[in-house]
Amino acid sequence: MTNDTNSTPTLETTPIIATRGDRWKEMATRQETLLIAVYVIMVLAFSLINPRYFSTASFGNILQDFAPVMLMAIGQTFVIITGGIDLSVGAVLGLSGVSAALAIRTTTESGMSPALSITIGIVAALLVGATVGVVNGLLITRVKLAPFIATLATMGICMGTTLVVTGGVQVAGAPKEVVLLGNTRYLEVFTVPLFVVLGVLIIAWLALSRTRFGRHTYAIGSNQFAARVAGINVDRHLMKVYVIGGVLAAIAGLFVYFRLGSGSPASGRGGELQAIAAAVIGGISLMGGVGRVTGTALGALITASVLSGLILIGIEPNAQQIVVGALIALAVAVQGLSRANSRT
């Protein structure tokens, strides 16, 4: 009896110890954990090269850069999970910011109050983003263009429209309330746009992980034919996803305008590359059906931090796009190796 009772705890506790070990191993190899480790190493490296990088002012600037990238990346996350791509988000950012700037300047000059002028500017920008999202959705679901081609076309249209309406020059004349709204800091690092981005991030996380909308998004990206057979209205869902992407890009354009106090036709140039980089670095598979928005958030933070660090160590702006492109290639290569290892 004594031997039996002594042996029982050993048999019961051994699986528990193994399970805990497996959990620690799983946590250590999760995408988010690896990204946090990469971020910490990157911060240390840039701080050693330039100590100013590790400062409150620098972190505040990084977060301001992070806000528009995060918004575009969240929209890109929804799109890529469905198996698509949206190349128009950078151009939508620029056109939306310029549209808001023109609306606010015109209404301010006509004697409207700053609050009403800013409201009209916000509505104008959101309408631009929603319209482009609808056009993208129709081209993909009705005309049956590939997402790459459809959004490439709208990217060109938006960029051309921005240059035409601005004449290639910045749209100034914003009331001081615009700059205050975009640049007033709380606790030295947080701004109103950043609070909005964090709210959007929470909503996106809940939508993807806790709702039927999220389950349908993953299902379409995993197997569109099976999703149709299961009764999902794929075309309608894709319309919603591309509209979400367009609206979030428009909000990003608003935030860039609020920060600068003017609408620049160059705003958003290369934004689609940064958004895709943030999503892919965060573990969103370009094959569709895989990824978490929390990974995208870390990917956006890494992307913004890398660009800020390159500026502080004296890398010219044109070379920064090379680094972003290299990050995308590296992230896709890592995803490919992970899939290959999972099959073996």
Side-chain angles (χ1 to χ4, degrees):
M1 293 293 291
T2 305
N3 292 336
D4 290 341
T5 50
N6 288 338
S7 62
T8 304
T10 305
L11 292 172
E12 290 179 353
T13 55
T14 300
I16 296 174
I17 295 172
T19 301
R20 287 176 180 173
D22 290 341
R23 287 176 181 173
W24 281 109
K25 183 178 179 181
E26 182 184 353
M27 287 181 62
T29 55
R30 283 185 63 177
Q31 182 81 14
E32 289 84 353
T33 306
L34 296 174
L35 288 173
I36 291 172
V38 169
Y39 177 71
V40 171
I41 294 170
M42 183 190 66
V43 169
L44 291 174
F46 279 127
S47 299
L48 288 173
I49 298 172
N50 189 334
R52 286 188 302 167
Y53 186 83
F54 195 75
S55 65
T56 303
S58 176
F59 188 59
N61 289 331
I62 289 171
L63 288 179
Q64 281 196 306
D65 294 335
F66 162 83
V69 174
M70 183 70 252
L71 286 171
M72 290 188 293
I74 291 173
Q76 201 72 249
T77 296
F78 282 93
V79 169
I80 294 177
I81 287 177
T82 64
I85 197 78
D86 190 349
L87 300 180
S88 67
V89 291
V92 171
L93 184 155
L95 181 57
S96 299
V98 165
S99 299
L102 288 170
I104 291 173
R105 185 179 70 179
T106 302
T107 53
T108 299
E109 290 175 350
S110 67
M112 284 189 184
S113 66
L116 185 56
S117 295
I118 292 172
T119 301
I120 292 173
I122 291 172
V123 172
L126 294 178
L127 285 174
V128 169
T131 300
V132 176
V134 169
V135 171
N136 282 333
L138 289 174
L139 289 175
I140 292 165
T141 61
R142 295 290 186 268
V143 185
K144 302 301 180 183
L145 292 181
F148 181 90
I149 300 300
T151 58
L152 182 65
T154 52
M155 178 182 75
I157 293 170
C158 290
M159 291 177 64
T161 304
T162 301
L163 292 173
V164 168
V165 299
T166 62
V169 298
Q170 291 190 353
V171 181
K176 65 180 181 179
E177 287 80 4
V178 167
V179 179
L180 290 174
L181 185 61
N183 294 278
T184 300
R185 295 194 182 186
Y186 304 90
L187 301 177
E188 298 186 25
V189 294
F190 297 101
T191 60
V192 170
L194 184 60
F195 286 127
V196 174
V197 171
L198 294 176
V200 171
L201 176 59
I202 292 171
I203 293 171
W205 174 75
L206 290 172
L208 277 177
S209 62
R210 298 288 188 273
T211 68
R212 184 174 63 178
F213 182 87
R215 291 192 294 272
H216 287 182
T217 302
Y218 284 107
I220 292 170
S222 298
N223 190 321
Q224 190 173 125
F225 176 78
R228 292 183 187 276
V229 172
I232 298 174
N233 190 327
V234 173
D235 289 348
R236 185 171 64 186
H237 193 88
L238 290 177
M239 284 289 297
K240 293 177 182 178
V241 165
Y242 280 94
V243 170
I244 289 171
V247 169
L248 290 178
I251 298 173
L254 281 169
F255 289 168
V256 172
Y257 167 62
F258 289 156
R259 182 180 182 183
L260 300 177
S262 62
S264 172
S267 294
R269 189 170 296 171
E272 65 285 342
L273 192 63
Q274 294 180 28
I276 294 170
V280 174
I281 291 170
I284 308 299
S285 173
L286 290 173
M287 304 298 291
V290 175
R292 298 186 184 93
V293 74
T294 50
T296 298
L298 290 169
L301 182 60
I302 290 174
T303 303
S305 300
V306 165
L307 294 178
S308 179
L310 293 174
I311 293 172
L312 282 178
I313 65 176
I315 302 298
E316 62 175 280
N318 292 331
Q320 295 173 17
Q321 297 302 318
I322 299 175
V323 175
V324 175
L327 287 174
I328 294 175
L330 180 61
V332 173
V334 170
Q335 288 181 6
L337 290 174
S338 299
R339 285 195 298 270
N341 290 334
S342 64
R343 294 192 189 105
T344 57

